[in-house]
């Protein structure tokens, strides 16, 4: 990334927050830790202005969903939920509320940081996306560049695409392969002229058919 970003980590698990704080600082982030929703609100009302917030869902007193709503009444902050709840209902609730992402525990810290970087790059205009398409205009690969150095490249696998055509409906297939390439629901709805709500419903129908819980797992079914 081209600048120093400030991350607020809100989680009652002190062991986890210390681990996240240590690794983020090693990667050049400025980090503030709060171990409850109420303490986080006090910090934000007192003038703390993080670039992004990692917010646990299951916390005593005030859970992550309540904290999310209270935070957004102060001002808009980009928020990623982190949660031990790996069911699609919890994830759908978090994303529907307006969170950037929903990351389930346990997670690989490098993957968490990659997702933080991608979202920060999108929010602050440092992410560039290059998409290769076939003669029909359908995407075949995508390279995402965050800042000047971090790059994520994903390419679809033709054999796997053929397998998915046998399992998914046409709309599921079109949405599924874009999710695998790292499209957001908003990008999918804009490109395919589907409503945002429809894209979310179809995405979870795909997850149910393929017996997966997270968007990143979908790549295994579509990509090389």
């Amino acid at each position: 990334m081209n600048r120093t970003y400030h991350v607020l980590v809100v989680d009652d698990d002190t062991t986890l927050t210390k681990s996240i704080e240590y690794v983020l600082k090693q990667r050049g982030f400025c980090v503030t830790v709060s171990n409850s929703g109420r303490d986080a609100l006090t910090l934000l009302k007192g003038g703390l202005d993080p670039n992004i917030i990692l917010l646990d869902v299951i916390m005593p007193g005030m859970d992550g969903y309540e904290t999310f709503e209270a935070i957004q009444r102060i001002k808009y902050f980009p928020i990623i939920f982190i949660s031990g709840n790996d069911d699609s209902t919890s994830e759908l609730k978090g994303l529907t509320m307006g969170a950037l992402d929903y990351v389930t525990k346990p997670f690989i810290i490098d993957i968490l940081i990659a997702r933080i970087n991608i979202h920060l790059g999108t929010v602050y205009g440092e992410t560039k996306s290059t998409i290769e398409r076939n003669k029909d205009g359908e995407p075949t690969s995508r390279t995402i560049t965050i800042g000047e150095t971090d790059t994520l490249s994903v390419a679809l696998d033709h054999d796997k695409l053929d397998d998915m055509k046998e399992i998914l409906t046409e709309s599921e297939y079109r949405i599924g392969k874009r999710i695998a390439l790292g499209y957001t629901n908003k990008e999918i709805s804009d490109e395919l002229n589907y409503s945002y709500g429809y894209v979310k419903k179809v995405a979870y129908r795909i997850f149910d058919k393929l017996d997966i819980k997270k968007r990143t797992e979908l790549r295994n079914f579509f990509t090389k």
Side-chain angles (χ1 to χ4, degrees):
M1 308 295 282
N2 295 328
R3 54 185 280 191
T4 298
Y5 287 100
H6 187 176
V7 182
L8 171 61
V9 183
V10 187
D11 196 314
D12 63 310
D13 184 339
T14 56
T15 300
L16 179 62
T17 55
K18 286 179 182 178
S19 175
I20 294 175
E21 179 182 18
Y22 174 78
V23 176
L24 286 176
K25 285 183 175 179
Q26 289 291 106
R27 302 296 178 87
F29 290 90
C30 175
V31 184
T32 300
V33 171
S34 173
N35 294 124
S36 75
R38 288 191 173 87
D39 286 347
L41 291 173
T42 298
L43 290 171
L44 295 171
K45 289 177 180 177
L48 187 73
D49 192 25
N51 298 106
I52 197 165
I53 298 173
L54 301 182
L55 178 60
D56 186 26
V57 171
I58 305 173
M59 295 186 292
M62 180 180 244
D63 70 21
Y65 299 129
E66 294 172 305
T67 304
F68 181 96
E69 292 178 335
I71 287 174
Q72 302 300 6
R73 286 196 289 270
I74 299 172
K75 62 172 279 189
Y76 170 76
F77 288 97
I79 293 177
I80 296 175
F81 278 119
I82 52 176
S83 176
N85 283 342
D86 62 359
D87 60 284
S88 59
T89 301
S90 298
E91 183 177 359
L92 180 59
K93 179 176 180 179
L95 296 176
T96 301
M97 291 175 74
L100 293 178
D101 209 339
Y102 187 104
V103 180
T104 56
K105 305 175 187 177
F107 47 74
I108 298 172
I109 191 67
D110 285 340
I111 293 177
L112 174 65
I113 291 173
R115 293 172 82 165
I116 291 171
N117 281 334
I118 288 171
H119 289 301
L120 283 171
T122 300
V123 171
Y124 296 100
E126 292 189 3
T127 294
K128 298 178 182 178
S129 177
T130 303
I131 301 170
E132 292 189 6
R133 300 178 185 273
N134 61 22
K135 60 182 178 61
D136 298 318
E138 286 293 293
T140 57
S141 67
R142 190 183 195 201
T143 300
I144 302 171
T145 304
I146 308 113
E148 297 178 351
T149 56
D150 296 331
T151 300
L152 173 66
S153 297
V154 185
L156 298 175
D157 183 287
H158 294 298
D159 291 334
K160 290 182 178 180
L161 290 179
D162 289 339
D163 291 339
M164 287 300 98
K165 285 181 179 178
E166 299 297 321
I167 298 172
L168 305 177
T169 66
E170 178 61 27
S171 59
E172 289 169 351
Y173 172 78
R174 297 184 74 195
I175 288 172
K177 70 179 182 180
R178 285 169 171 80
I179 293 174
L181 288 172
Y183 280 60
T184 65
N185 287 346
K186 176 70 164 53
E187 288 174 325
I188 295 171
S189 65
D190 288 345
E191 180 165 314
L192 297 179
N193 293 317
Y194 292 154
S195 73
Y196 183 79
Y198 176 73
V199 171
K200 288 194 297 184
K201 288 180 181 178
V202 172
Y204 281 99
R205 203 161 68 216
I206 296 169
F207 296 169
D208 185 58
K209 280 189 176 183
L210 301 180
D211 193 26
I212 59 175
K213 296 183 174 66
K214 294 178 285 188
R215 295 173 75 90
T216 51
E217 294 177 9
L218 195 63
R219 287 184 185 162
N220 295 330
F221 293 88
F222 284 87
T223 63
K224 298 177 180 178

